[in-house]
């Protein structure tokens, strides 16, 4: 009886989850093994590419909640490209998944993940002939992009880091597998523009975390800016302000 109940439970879980995810393939939706969704706008080519990277989505489910932000960016910046990228192990609403592991959606800002994201950014940069690549992250995605800025100097010319846990040691002391952006600010080129955007009422990645990171950037002679906006850790509450910063960065 117990074995039968367990089997029924597993079948229900399979059906609810939609079954095993499919791996991405082809240039239309894949780069270095990671799921990507590409958008472009009309107008003279600016050779500008924005890469959107999501947070941990620790509650589960698909991780492509930044699609509308990428669409809005290309609508407002003529001739630009945008790519929504899924971190290793994450899947989209069509159940297509990036290669690799999501580490149970915690403690996963590892060297391997950072290398995977860097490789995917380099691939789409070449694919779309971009001269200027701008990162746009949320929460854990911001931490990964901040690490990419340091591990692959010059790959991106700037980044908007929303709700960034940029000081991992003060945010999650037990996350020993994750690289902390605060520890590698010295490797970021001084020409790279970094803007941290955090909600005043963010009780998760509290403003002091990003403030500490930006202070370290400035102390190291880097181009860092901290912006506090009305909002919480919920991406929707900081999205509009952050996108305005991204458009301003693209216009430089």
């Amino acid at each position: 009886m117990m074995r039968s109940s367990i089997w029924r439970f597993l079948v229900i879980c399979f059906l609810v989850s939609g079954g095993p995810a499919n791996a991405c393939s082809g240039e239309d939706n894949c780069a270095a093994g990671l799921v990507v969704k590409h958008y472009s706008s009309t107008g003279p080519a600016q050779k500008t590419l924005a890469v959107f990277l999501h947070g941990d989505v620790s509650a589960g489910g698909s991780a492509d909640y930044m699609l509308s932000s990428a669409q809005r960016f290309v609508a407002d910046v003529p001739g630009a490209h945008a790519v929504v990228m899924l971190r290793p192990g994450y899947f989209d609403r069509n159940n297509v998944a990036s290669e690799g592991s999501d580490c149970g959606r915690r403690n996963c800002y590892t060297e391997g993940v950072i290398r995977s994201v860097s490789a995917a950014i380099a691939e789409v940069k070449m694919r779309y002939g971009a001269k200027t690549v701008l990162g746009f992250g949320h929460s854990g995605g911001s931490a990964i992009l901040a690490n990419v800025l340091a591990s692959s100097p010059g790959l991106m010319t700037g980044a908007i880091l929303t709700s960034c846990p940029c000081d991992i040691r003060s945010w999650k002391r037990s996350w020993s597998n994750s690289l902390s952006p605060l520890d590698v600010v010295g490797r970021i080129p001084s020409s790279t523009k970094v803007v941290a955007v955090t909600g005043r009422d963010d009780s998760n990645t509290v403003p002091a975390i990003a403030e500490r990171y930006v202070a370290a950037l400035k102390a190291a002679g880097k181009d860092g800016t901290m912006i506090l906006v009305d909002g919480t850790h919920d991406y929707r509450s900081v999205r509009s302000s952050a996108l305005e910063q991204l458009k301003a960065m693209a216009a430089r």
Side-chain angles (χ1 to χ4, degrees):
M1 179 67 71
M2 182 175 293
R3 180 177 298 177
S4 177
S5 298
I6 292 173
W7 175 248
R8 283 198 300 270
F9 173 76
L10 293 174
V11 170
I12 291 171
C13 289
F14 178 87
L15 293 174
V16 170
S17 67
N22 300 308
C24 68
S25 61
E27 287 194 355
D28 289 340
N29 73 336
C30 203
L34 302 188
V35 174
V36 295
K37 176 64 176 177
H38 170 246
Y39 299 97
S40 61
S41 58
T42 58
Q46 290 191 356
K47 296 189 178 298
T48 297
L49 167 68
V51 177
F52 292 76
L53 197 66
H54 60 87
D56 295 345
V57 197
S58 55
S62 62
D64 53 1
Y65 61 84
M66 303 181 89
L67 295 177
S68 62
S69 296
Q71 292 171 318
R72 178 174 164 183
F73 174 74
V74 297
D76 292 341
V77 182
H81 294 270
V83 163
V84 177
M85 183 175 294
L86 299 193
R87 292 157 46 183
Y90 284 82
F91 57 90
D92 65 15
R93 64 195 64 185
N94 296 316
N95 216 29
V96 179
S98 291
E99 292 180 1
S101 171
D102 64 5
C103 312
R105 302 196 174 188
R106 64 186 307 276
N107 195 13
C108 207
Y109 318 147
T110 63
E111 289 185 5
V113 166
I114 293 162
R115 281 197 302 269
S116 293
V117 171
S118 295
I121 293 174
E123 185 169 318
V124 294
K125 180 179 183 179
M126 181 177 295
R127 182 181 301 171
Y128 301 114
K131 298 297 183 183
T132 299
V133 179
L134 305 175
F136 186 94
H138 174 236
S139 192
S142 291
I144 290 171
L145 289 178
N147 278 309
V148 170
L149 290 175
S151 65
S152 299
L155 177 61
M156 295 184 288
T157 55
I160 307 296
L161 309 176
T162 72
S163 313
C164 186
C166 287
D167 179 6
I168 302 297
R169 305 302 159 239
S170 70
W171 182 58
K172 301 283 188 183
R173 292 185 181 276
S174 64
W175 283 26
S176 58
N177 293 333
S178 293
L179 303 185
S180 180
L182 185 65
D183 296 339
V184 292
V185 293
R187 302 178 192 171
I188 298 175
S190 57
S191 60
T192 300
K193 177 71 174 175
V194 183
V195 177
V197 180
T198 300
R200 290 187 179 87
D201 298 318
D202 189 335
S203 59
N204 185 345
T205 52
V206 297
I209 294 176
E211 288 170 349
R212 221 166 13 250
Y213 175 69
V214 171
L217 284 170
K218 291 180 177 179
K222 313 302 179 180
D223 190 350
T225 302
M226 175 71 195
I227 297 178
L228 279 176
V229 300
D230 293 332
T232 64
H233 191 72
D234 188 328
Y235 173 66
R236 294 168 295 184
S237 72
V238 298
R239 175 178 52 197
S240 293
S241 297
L243 283 172
E244 288 302 315
Q245 293 298 321
L246 180 63
K247 287 190 294 180
M249 190 177 286
R252 292 180 62 192

